[in-house]
Amino acid sequence: MTVILAIGGTDSSGGAGLTRDTAMAAGLGAAVRPVVTAVTVQTDEAVLAIHPSPPQAVADQARAALATPPAPGAVKIGMLGSAGVAEAVNDALPAGLPIVLDPVLKASSGGRLMAAGGFGALLQRAALVTPNLVELEAISGSTGSIEAQAAQLLAQGARAVLVKGGHGTGVESIDVLYTADGAATPFAAARLPGSKRGTGCSLATAIACRLARGDSLPEACRRGKAAVHRWLGC
């Protein structure tokens, strides 16, 4: 059984967060060990309240999940909520475990969930950071081209950046994997009509599941995107 550690918030509407992580992982034959960073009160249209978990409680959850066999093969990090929780998570995670960081700044229903500069050392530790176009600009601190923004994030210490194209335009949704060696690898899929919440959660979770199974980073991104595309087409 493939197991991943999923760190993030709950969503009372069921559209995103740990609920969506668990559903995507289950669809890929994997199990989730959940670590709750916050309880959010949400509908599909609005964030009504956020009840954050204390940093120590988050760290304790992570350590207990990691100590439960079989050991998780990768970590997916979503909503953190504060720099203090980010620091607690960083301290709790062992070296060598692949981390996929989905840098959630706002809920798709509109509420702010994290400051752009709050990720701390996790940004450098993650095997992959998966910003959308809005998050990329905020975290990189650059208003240049997408390529320049990704390069700025890599210069800040990120190991690899998958820029999600869901907020872009055109008949295809194109995600691009940027790595420190200067490579830029695109992953394209037909842009589907309509929208669903939780696509960022789903993609980062799917990639983490593939990394836990030993896929290379480009292959994990390719197969993760394909899994999300299948779900969106349901």
Side-chain angles (χ1 to χ4, degrees):
M1 168 66 73
T2 300
V3 177
I4 67 166
L5 186 67
I7 301 173
T10 67
D11 176 355
S12 50
S13 74
L18 291 170
T19 301
R20 181 93 292 279
D21 296 338
T22 302
M24 175 55 71
L28 298 174
V32 161
R33 300 266 171 74
V35 173
V36 180
T37 61
V39 174
T40 71
V41 182
Q42 293 191 59
T43 68
D44 281 340
E45 297 179 349
V47 176
L48 304 176
I50 299 173
H51 303 285
S53 301
Q56 187 61 55
V58 175
D60 289 345
Q61 290 178 76
R63 291 190 176 99
L66 290 164
T68 303
V75 181
K76 181 264 180 174
I77 299 176
M79 175 189 176
L80 290 168
S82 71
V85 169
E87 183 178 355
V89 168
N90 181 62
D91 291 343
L93 293 179
L97 200 58
I99 298 170
V100 179
L101 174 61
D102 181 19
V104 179
L105 301 179
K106 290 179 65 177
S108 54
S109 53
R112 180 169 176 167
L113 303 177
M114 182 73 169
F119 297 99
L122 285 174
L123 198 66
Q124 288 79 43
R125 285 192 61 187
L128 180 67
V129 184
T130 62
N132 61 32
L133 296 176
V134 176
E135 292 162 346
L136 176 66
E137 180 175 334
I139 297 170
S140 69
S142 170
T143 58
S145 66
I146 293 172
E147 293 79 7
Q149 290 172 0
Q152 179 60 32
L153 202 52
L154 291 168
Q156 292 175 21
R159 300 182 188 180
V161 180
L162 181 68
V163 180
K164 297 177 290 192
H167 288 179
T169 59
V171 297
E172 289 186 315
S173 173
I174 302 175
D175 302 346
V176 183
L177 175 63
Y178 296 92
T179 51
D181 61 2
T185 306
F187 305 95
R191 191 177 297 277
L192 299 174
S195 63
K196 288 184 179 180
R197 294 179 57 223
T199 53
C201 302
S202 297
L203 180 60
T205 296
I207 293 170
C209 288
R210 296 311 317 179
L211 291 175
R213 289 179 174 161
D215 285 2
S216 68
L217 184 57
E219 181 66 5
C221 292
R222 184 188 69 79
R223 298 179 76 167
K225 184 175 179 69
V228 173
H229 195 260
R230 289 193 298 270
W231 168 62
L232 289 173
C234 292

